[in-house]
Amino acid sequence: MAESAKVFKYSLSEIMVDKELSNYTCSICFDIIENKEVYQCKEGHWNCRQCWVESLSKKKECMTCRTQVNSISELSRNRFLEQEFDSKKVYCPNSFKISPDSNDYTQPLLIRDEIKGCNKIISINEIDQHLSECTFKCKFSKYNKLLDRIKEMETTIQKQQSVINKSKSSSSLSSSSSSSSSSSSSLESSSALNTTRASLSAEQRLNDLSDKLSLLLSQQKQPKYKNKWIIQNYSTISKTKTIGKSIRSPIFETSGKEFEVAIFPNGFGSAQKGFLSFFLYLKSLNTPIVVSYSLIILNPKNTNKNFIHSSQQVFSSTSSGWGKSKSLKISEITKEEGWLSADDKLVVEISVEVVSFNGPLESLK
Ligand SMILES: [Zn+2]
Ligand SMILES: [Zn+2]
Ligand SMILES: [Zn+2]
């Protein structure tokens, strides 16, 4: 999940004080000359550099007056126009908010936020500098969080869908009638989602996606992840892990989410001195999810002594790890007490189930 999330970005034409931009619009591509070099023929007909390059590759002339132009080096750069554009006034981007009338979450409408926004008017070439010191920071961070969550949920849905498709194509003999009917209904809801997509606002989209995901999860009952994590040479390794140092399990995945378990053989912090701490961590962050899990340190000698920690928690970017900071007494983790096998292994049984992808939306408000 290393791909960078889509981030909302205002467009310059939206934040300009004077919206009359025809003097700064390239007559070929119709873009404003933001971050563009402007070149002109000797008669003063100007276009952006890229448009000149393209048109000269087809015909060696100015497309307005047809004066011969053999190469771009025969043109002159119009820095005056570029600088004039750069000195145009804009409202600080943090003086806007997203209009509640926006009906396309990928291109939201901006309106001035006269009450809570920044009231600075600056020139285009001062935007970066001003944003670095503007005290009305991160006006769109909530919106970007929403976009992040939409994107992550779309990825998870794609994964779920491919799991369903795989199981559908590979196990036609064993699949029960109920699972095949649920697969077809999930495909229908997916196309319905696409057609209405453009008219959904970001939050509606998110709600829609999380409903769809719950539906998919209930249809395609992802088996709970269950496995044993065997730590070899435990007593040797644990000696090398001082307070706050951990042994990490391999990363595992369930319902499109990645997890790992960490054991702190000498405690998570000094407050847990003398005790083993262990935690389950969510590795894929951003969307709060509800996870039901259990971590069991097995005692092969006497299963009644198995140390069981099980719980249901919300895992999110701000609380990505849950577990037990004080579990077994370190002095008891010996072969004699039965926690370590004769060949010095410690075994942790891990069960993890994502029970809801519908994390609390209120946290964004
Ligand atoms: Zn152009
Ligand atoms: Zn010309
Ligand atoms: Zn500002």
Side-chain angles (χ1 to χ4, degrees), residues 25 68 74 105 124 131 135 185 289 298:
T25 305
Q68 190 178 350
E74 292 176 17
Y105 73 93
I124 288 174
L131 284 180
T135 52
S185 74
I289 55 173
L298 298 180

Side-chain angles (χ1 to χ4, degrees), residues 91-95 117-122 127 130-137:
Y91 298 107
C92 167
N94 291 335
S95 69
C118 172
N119 59 15
K120 281 268 160 52
I121 293 179
I122 48 185
I127 295 178
H130 173 73
L131 284 180
S132 71
E133 57 202 25
C134 176
T135 52
F136 296 79
K137 281 201 168 94

Side-chain angles (χ1 to χ4, degrees), residues 198-210:
S199 60
L200 289 172
S201 77
E203 283 206 23
Q204 282 170 323
R205 171 79 178 148
L206 198 54
N207 287 335
D208 210 340
L209 285 172
S210 57

Side-chain angles (χ1 to χ4, degrees), residues 40-47 52 61-67 69 75:
Q40 63 184 23
C41 79
K42 58 187 176 195
E43 296 298 324
H45 302 122
W46 67 264
N47 288 106
W52 270 114
E61 61 180 32
C62 165
M63 41 233 123
T64 311
C65 64
R66 316 199 73 174
T67 302
V69 179
L75 301 168

Side-chain angles (χ1 to χ4, degrees), residues 165-317:
N165 293 345
K166 239 182 258 162
S167 73
K168 206 175 147 190
S169 61
S170 66
S171 62
S172 52
L173 277 177
S174 61
S175 74
S176 68
S177 59
S178 70
S179 81
S180 62
S181 70
S182 65
S183 299
S184 64
S185 74
S186 72
L187 288 175
E188 277 162 31
S189 63
S190 142
S191 69
L193 202 70
N194 287 336
T195 52
T196 55
R197 179 180 176 149
S199 60
L200 289 172
S201 77
E203 283 206 23
Q204 282 170 323
R205 171 79 178 148
L206 198 54
N207 287 335
D208 210 340
L209 285 172
S210 57
D211 285 352
K212 175 165 170 59
L213 198 51
S214 317
L215 185 74
L216 278 173
L217 284 173
S218 64
Q219 289 167 350
Q220 171 72 28
K221 262 285 179 212
Q222 267 245 338
K224 175 195 287 196
Y225 176 86
K226 196 168 179 185
N227 214 338
K228 280 179 184 158
W229 175 29
I230 299 164
I231 308 170
Q232 317 266 4
N233 306 318
Y234 182 79
S235 39
T236 313
I237 296 174
S238 64
K239 281 190 196 104
T240 69
K241 303 289 181 184
T242 50
I243 292 178
K245 292 272 175 358
S246 61
I247 306 172
R248 302 262 159 174
S249 76
I251 291 174
F252 54 92
E253 189 189 309
T254 182
S255 297
K257 297 287 166 187
E258 289 182 333
F259 295 88
E260 79 179 351
V261 172
I263 278 189
F264 295 78
N266 288 293
F268 179 66
S270 47
Q272 292 83 37
K273 206 173 175 208
F275 288 89
L276 179 139
S277 313
F278 64 151
F279 302 94
L280 172 70
Y281 288 96
L282 171 64
K283 303 294 286 181
S284 355
L285 293 180
N286 279 334
T287 312
I289 55 173
V290 183
V291 177
S292 178
Y293 69 91
S294 77
L295 302 174
I296 306 172
I297 303 176
L298 298 180
N299 189 315
K301 215 174 186 176
N302 179 358
T303 52
N304 289 331
K305 284 167 87 177
N306 284 354
F307 186 91
I308 303 173
H309 167 67
S310 59
S311 184
Q312 182 165 314
Q313 297 290 351
V314 176
F315 285 70
S316 69
S317 309

